[in-house]
Amino acid sequence: MIQASLTHKACHTPSTEVLVERDSDANISPGEKVCVLIGASNPVGLCLARSFIEKGYRVAVGDANPADFASLAEGQGNNFLPVKVNPNRDVYVNSMADQVYLRWRRVDVLVNIVFRRNETTQTVTGSLSSANLGLDAVSNLIRVTGAFSSRLQGAELAVVDVAWFEETTSLEAEAVLQAALRTTTSAIARQYFGSGLRINAVHASDVNSTSSSENDVLRTVIHAVQFLANSELSGKLTGNVLEIDPRCR
């Protein structure tokens, strides 16, 4: 069994009943809910998109290569929106937010995905790669959260940041990424505390894309994101990082 551990004690956001202008989630069918995934053109993003589609969500996916999502778009009609996005540029992220709200007028789940392939086993290069990944995760989480939260009008939104290395990397490199995720997730959760946003993250390593359909770590990542995205399962958790470590099996 793969161990997933919380790195923070749970914080609980207060009620936003006064602010919410739409029906409560209890009265919203899955087919009316919207999931947005940014940085989705990778095994985690594609599997996450498929899982939310299977749950009946409307899904918007953004990445540099929208053509990668052609197989997911089949038969979805207006319920699937692929968008070309550079998650490192404000103008792209803001444009995607505008497109999503123009089409569906709501977002319930926002997933920001940052990953890096492990191209070398050298410790120094691995650490630099992890530092870059940590910076990407930090800047992208801040960027996409700000872009979508500015359009919420008091509604609730579950934000999940997903950062992972493809295949095994050094413990030192993993520690760099974990520290960046813990610090940023906690800080942003405090910033948006009381505004209806729940900010959490998932960190995993050893996700080998060549066997994604049978990969235990990848499946656990999907379950972790779905747990954090669903308020009926996770309550009002915010400021947490779920660590998924295959070495703890």
Side-chain angles (χ1 to χ4, degrees), residues 10-48:
C11 297
H12 295 270
T13 58
S15 173
T16 57
E17 291 177 357
V18 176
L19 296 175
V20 176
E21 298 178 357
R22 68 191 187 203
D23 294 336
S24 67
D25 284 351
N27 297 321
I28 298 296
S29 68
E32 295 176 284
K33 290 187 177 183
V34 175
C35 174
V36 175
L37 299 103
I38 295 181
S41 185
N42 54 69
V44 169
L46 291 168
C47 288
L48 272 172

Side-chain angles (χ1 to χ4, degrees), residues 28 72 86 116 135-136 148 173 213 216-217 245:
I28 298 296
L72 296 179
N86 180 347
R116 193 171 304 279
L135 290 173
D136 287 346
F148 282 84
S213 63
D216 288 340
V217 180
D245 191 345

Side-chain angles (χ1 to χ4, degrees), residues 65-242:
N65 300 304
D68 292 346
F69 309 106
S71 61
L72 296 179
E74 294 179 5
Q76 296 303 314
N78 190 52
N79 292 325
F80 188 81
L81 176 64
V83 181
K84 184 174 182 178
V85 173
N86 180 347
N88 297 315
R89 297 283 300 277
D90 290 344
V91 64
Y92 281 95
V93 177
N94 286 325
S95 175
M96 182 174 184
D98 288 339
Q99 291 181 60
V100 171
Y101 279 102
L102 181 63
R103 175 174 290 203
W104 294 317
R105 311 183 79 173
R106 65 182 291 130
V107 175
D108 300 274
V109 180
L110 174 60
V111 184
N112 178 56
I113 304 166
V114 186
F115 85 104
R116 193 171 304 279
R117 288 185 171 87
N118 186 27
E119 297 176 352
T120 179
T121 58
Q122 295 181 7
T123 302
V124 174
T125 304
S127 297
L128 291 175
S129 179
S130 182
N132 292 336
L133 180 59
L135 290 173
D136 287 346
V138 168
S139 61
N140 290 356
L141 177 58
I142 294 171
R143 183 176 296 107
V144 300
T145 300
F148 282 84
S149 65
S150 66
R151 296 159 173 81
L152 281 180
Q153 298 181 346
E156 293 191 2
L157 173 63
V159 181
V160 184
D161 201 31
V162 181
W164 58 286
F165 274 107
E166 183 182 69
E167 302 177 354
T168 305
T169 189
S170 70
L171 292 176
E172 181 182 356
E174 294 292 348
V176 173
L177 178 55
Q178 289 171 8
L181 279 178
R182 285 196 298 268
T183 302
T184 306
T185 302
S186 179
I188 299 181
R190 287 195 299 269
Q191 176 183 347
Y192 287 98
F193 186 80
S195 66
L197 274 73
R198 297 189 297 114
I199 314 292
N200 295 288
V202 176
H203 166 243
S205 59
D206 196 27
V207 183
N208 188 340
S209 62
T210 59
S211 58
S212 59
S213 63
E214 300 178 355
N215 190 287
D216 288 340
V217 180
L218 180 55
R219 283 198 297 265
T220 305
V221 170
I222 306 305
H223 293 320
V225 172
Q226 291 176 344
F227 168 77
L228 293 171
N230 188 335
S231 60
E232 294 181 3
L233 298 176
S234 57
K236 298 294 183 180
L237 291 179
T238 189
N240 296 280
V241 179
L242 290 178

